[in-house]
Amino acid sequence: MIRDVDGGTAKLMPDIDRARAWLLTVDGAPQSYVDLDDPTHLEFEYARRLAHVLDCVAGPGEPLDVLHLGGGALTLPRYVAATRPGSRQDVVEADRGLLALVAERLPLAEGCGITVHADDARHALETAPAGTRDVVVADVFGGSRVPAHLTSLEYATAAERVLRPGGCYLANLADGAPFTFLRSQLATFGAVFAHVALIAEPSVLRGRRFGNAVLVASHTEPPLEELVRRTAADPFPARVEYGAGLERFAAGAVPVRDAVAVASPEPPGGTFSIG
């Protein structure tokens, strides 16, 4: 299945090894992987890391109120619906063509508690009721870059406003050495939230390659021991950076305001593309 969408050309390709599993790409860059028979199966490592945090923010099976910025094929909303039945989830996706493709080919189960909205992520965040969400998950890419208006101090403040006390903000980011963008995000969210952590593969954090990093921000200390255990056990182990080590990593970076905010850097050719 191929369709033109706002971000380029979207393709849904079946996984020959799993009966009802699909890979969504946009212009050759993988966006989502969904197994309709097993929504707890997470193929992409960054999705597993986001899910690890979602697994730890409340007791096992306890429902959550989640706002997802960026929809893709709704991988994480499906995961939360399966692991935390009764959760109330709103998904915001600006690309109506992509929403139509996913709704047609990968429909949601009735009564799953997931509502999808066609809107800009920043607008949806700024107009959402205050103090109503346990988690905000941001996984928004224009092509292969995080849009500039989702990187600023004003945006971080809007995210903090929507969360309940003890709520958690998660973001899938991407960068490489010298980490100008990633360090600015740590400074920006660190100016709004009391606690900030970062989850990424050691090779990415050492600057050996460009890759994804999951940012975790909240007013309560993250469940570090559990996150370290879970991420270390993944097929591609990750490291959880927090405290003094993360402060050294971000040293010298300053919060970014709307007036000077920029998108995340363009990945080196072929970094995420699968052809």
Side-chain angles (χ1 to χ4, degrees), residues 140-163:
V140 184
F141 284 79
S144 297
R145 305 178 71 185
V146 179
H149 70 303
L150 305 182
T151 69
S152 68
L153 188 64
E154 291 87 346
Y155 165 77
T157 301
E160 192 268 349
R161 181 190 66 85
V162 170
L163 290 168

Side-chain angles (χ1 to χ4, degrees), residues 224-263:
L224 295 172
E225 289 186 12
E226 183 65 11
L227 287 176
V228 168
R229 184 185 68 79
R230 288 171 176 261
T231 57
D234 280 339
F236 294 93
R239 207 165 73 202
V240 180
E241 289 289 349
Y242 176 78
L246 197 58
E247 290 175 5
R248 288 192 296 271
F249 180 84
V254 297
V256 175
R257 292 192 171 272
D258 277 336
V260 295
V262 297

Side-chain angles (χ1 to χ4, degrees), residues 175-194:
D175 200 3
F179 300 112
T180 303
F181 172 74
L182 193 55
R183 292 170 62 246
S184 76
Q185 291 303 282
L186 292 169
T188 298
F189 282 86
V192 175
F193 291 91

Side-chain angles (χ1 to χ4, degrees), residues 46-65:
Y46 83 85
R48 291 173 63 89
R49 291 164 193 153
L50 289 167
H52 289 326
V53 183
L54 288 165
D55 287 343
C56 294
V57 295
E62 184 178 329
L64 294 173
D65 287 333

Side-chain angles (χ1 to χ4, degrees), residues 5-254:
V5 296
D6 292 347
T9 300
K11 294 182 181 180
L12 268 176
M13 298 176 288
D15 184 341
I16 61 174
D17 295 323
R18 301 177 75 94
R20 293 207 305 153
W22 297 81
L23 172 67
L24 171 68
T25 66
V26 177
D27 281 353
Q31 296 289 319
S32 302
Y33 180 99
V34 170
D35 187 334
L36 295 176
D37 291 328
D38 181 9
T40 66
H41 174 77
L42 301 176
E43 187 76 9
F44 297 159
E45 290 300 321
Y46 83 85
R48 291 173 63 89
R49 291 164 193 153
L50 289 167
H52 289 326
V53 183
L54 288 165
D55 287 343
C56 294
V57 295
E62 184 178 329
L64 294 173
D65 287 333
V66 186
L67 175 61
H68 299 266
L69 305 178
L74 311 179
T75 303
L76 277 177
R78 297 174 202 264
Y79 176 87
V80 172
T83 59
R84 296 182 177 276
S87 293
R88 181 173 64 94
Q89 301 186 81
D90 287 281
V91 181
V92 177
E93 172 58 59
D95 193 330
R96 294 176 184 270
L98 182 58
L99 287 178
L101 175 63
V102 172
E104 175 187 339
R105 304 296 297 184
L106 306 173
L108 292 166
E110 279 196 42
C112 64
I114 301 170
T115 305
V116 180
H117 309 268
D119 198 357
D120 173 75
R122 175 79 175 259
H123 177 262
L125 190 65
E126 291 179 337
T127 55
T132 56
R133 299 293 170 163
D134 299 308
V135 185
V136 173
V137 181
D139 187 11
V140 184
F141 284 79
S144 297
R145 305 178 71 185
V146 179
H149 70 303
L150 305 182
T151 69
S152 68
L153 188 64
E154 291 87 346
Y155 165 77
T157 301
E160 192 268 349
R161 181 190 66 85
V162 170
L163 290 168
R164 294 186 173 120
C168 183
Y169 173 86
L170 309 177
N172 177 33
L173 306 175
D175 200 3
F179 300 112
T180 303
F181 172 74
L182 193 55
R183 292 170 62 246
S184 76
Q185 291 303 282
L186 292 169
T188 298
F189 282 86
V192 175
F193 291 91
H195 299 271
V196 178
L198 196 67
I199 306 172
E201 287 184 40
S203 60
V204 172
L205 293 174
R206 291 171 185 153
R208 294 177 181 172
R209 67 178 185 84
F210 192 100
N212 294 95
V214 169
L215 182 145
V216 183
S218 68
H219 286 305
T220 58
E221 185 173 320
L224 295 172
E225 289 186 12
E226 183 65 11
L227 287 176
V228 168
R229 184 185 68 79
R230 288 171 176 261
T231 57
D234 280 339
F236 294 93
R239 207 165 73 202
V240 180
E241 289 289 349
Y242 176 78
L246 197 58
E247 290 175 5
R248 288 192 296 271
F249 180 84
V254 297

